[in-house]
């Protein structure tokens, strides 16, 4: 699209009192944390790495999965080159680079992630981090921080403690606080008659993990709930109510994953409630489809609603935005690019909302005009502003990125068979 398309768009938005230049400035400085696990089907690089387990299932057999840290970093470089703005990488502990050393997750140190830190530093990226409570012999029962066996539980507590220290070191070296997000799969496939004990153990385990004070300028703690998973259909210890209460009482960030609630429940509506009571939010932007919580993000209504709430409530400053999906049925680099660009477009759409006019109508009780303008705003020329943003940020506008991904695929695929 030409510059004149942007000029026309600028005028169209200005007619509704919207400053497209101001919107582009906010968009340019808002990072999205790209999840490393889309690139290798949530396998990681520890010895014996394979299917993730923990109720996470990756379907599809598209060729080209990254098999080494070098391949994954190259794939991420390719994806990041097609995203406007400067972003972050969200890493799981299972992506440790152990160099053949026999060290288990309870003893991981920042040294095992120095390759990632150096890579991020060279690119001016921030890192976020996650302890990995799945894909490990001691997680085969599906229980970790709630495990009734004290020794197993202590192992996973030690892992959590190690990961918070690693997150803090990432934050220190990169000059940007890393969010360290705890998600555990613990639950029960079928009816359980004791929900109290596992939740009491989970609260105690988390308290032990968080006992060490860490400077929030280096690392931020978040806890992530889930409604159910494969193998935990009847009960999940870390439910929304559990973590909301935990985060409020312990001053932690709550992670809201868009795929972790009932299908008709929207996380957008939770944002202004949860932020009344917790210091901040981590979002896992995802797209649930029936029982799967992890399809590639699109510019659909639920995604738009999330970003509308962040902008309308002036919550961007208290929210970290990450992606969380895994699809092995399409090109994995394209999956990152489609999902991240969709999230950024949703943010742009929210920033371009004629909010002053809408608020005036609402205050005046003129709900007819409010609804009419909300509908009208959906077809204002968002694409022309988006394309202009891509051009200014030196990334392909429109579908131009796809040719790049296809070229990269041709060049790399030959080496990954
Ligand atoms: C791999 C991630 O930690 C995982 O997707 C988690 O965030 C989640 O959402 C589990 O369903
Ligand atoms: Mn998630």
């Amino acid at each position: 699209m030409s510059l004149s398309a942007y000029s026309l768009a600028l005028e169209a938005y200005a007619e509704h009192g919207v400053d497209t230049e101001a919107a582009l400035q906010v968009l340019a400085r808002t990072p999205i944390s790209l999840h490393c696990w889309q690139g290798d089907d949530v396998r990681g690089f520890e010895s014996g790495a394979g299917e993730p387990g923990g109720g996470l299932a990756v379907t599809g057999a598209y060729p080209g999965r990254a098999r080494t840290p070098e391949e994954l970093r190259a794939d991420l470089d390719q994806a990041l080159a097609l995203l406007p703005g400067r972003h972050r990488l969200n890493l799981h502990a299972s992506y440790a680079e152990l160099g053949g050393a026999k060290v288990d997750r309870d003893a991981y140190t920042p040294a095992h992630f120095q390759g990632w830190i150096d890579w991020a530093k060279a690119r001016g990226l921030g890192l976020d981090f996650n302890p990995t409570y799945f894909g490990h012999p001691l997680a085969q029962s599906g229980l970790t921080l709630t495990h009734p066996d004290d020794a197993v539980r202590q192992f996973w507590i030690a892992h959590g403690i190690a990961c918070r220290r690693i997150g803090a070191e990432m934050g220190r070296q990169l000059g940007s606080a890393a969010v360290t997000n705890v998600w555990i799969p613990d639950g029960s496939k079928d009816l359980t008659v004791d929900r109290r004990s596992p939740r009491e153990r989970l609260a105690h385990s988390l308290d032990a993990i968080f006992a060490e004070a860490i400077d929030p300028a280096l690392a931020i703690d978040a806890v992530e709930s889930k409604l159910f998973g494969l193998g935990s259909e009847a009960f999940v210890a870390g439910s929304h109510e559990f973590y909301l209460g935990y985060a409020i009482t312990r001053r932690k960030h709550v992670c809201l994953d868009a795929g972790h609630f009932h299908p008709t429940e929207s996380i957008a509506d939770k944002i202004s409630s949860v932020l009344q009571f917790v210091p901040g939010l981590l979002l896992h932007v995802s797209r649930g489809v029936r029982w799967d919580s992890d399809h590639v993000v699109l510019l659909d209504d639920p995604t738009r609603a999330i970003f509308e709430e962040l902008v309308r409530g002036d919550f961007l400053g208290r929210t970290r935005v990450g992606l969380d999906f895994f699809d092995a049925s399409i090109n994995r680099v394209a999956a990152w690019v489609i999902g991240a660009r969709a999230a950024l477009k949703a943010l742009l759409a929210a920033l371009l909302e004629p909010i002053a006019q809408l608020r005036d109508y609402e205050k005046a009780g003129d709900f007819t005009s409010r609804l009419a303008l909300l509908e009208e705003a959906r077809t204002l020329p968002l694409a022309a502003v988006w394309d202009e943003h891509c051009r200014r940020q030196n990334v392909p506008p429109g579908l131009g990125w796809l040719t790049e991904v296809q070229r990269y695929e041709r060049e790399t695929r030959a080496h990954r068979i």
Side-chain angles (χ1 to χ4, degrees), residues 37 42 56 92 130 134 181 183 224 226 257 260 284 293-294 324 326:
W37 51 93
V42 207
L56 307 176
H92 245 283
N130 306 260
F134 51 83
N181 177 51
W183 173 75
E224 178 181 6
K226 192 168 181 174
D257 184 312
H260 284 191
H284 275 186
S293 59
D294 298 296
D324 188 7
F326 21 94

Side-chain angles (χ1 to χ4, degrees), residues 181-203:
N181 177 51
V182 173
W183 173 75
I184 62 166
D186 301 36
S188 173
K189 179 181 176 70
D190 219 326
L191 301 178
T192 173
V193 294
D194 181 9
R195 290 166 186 249
R196 176 177 175 167
S197 309
R199 288 189 167 131
E200 284 176 351
R201 287 194 290 270
L202 178 53

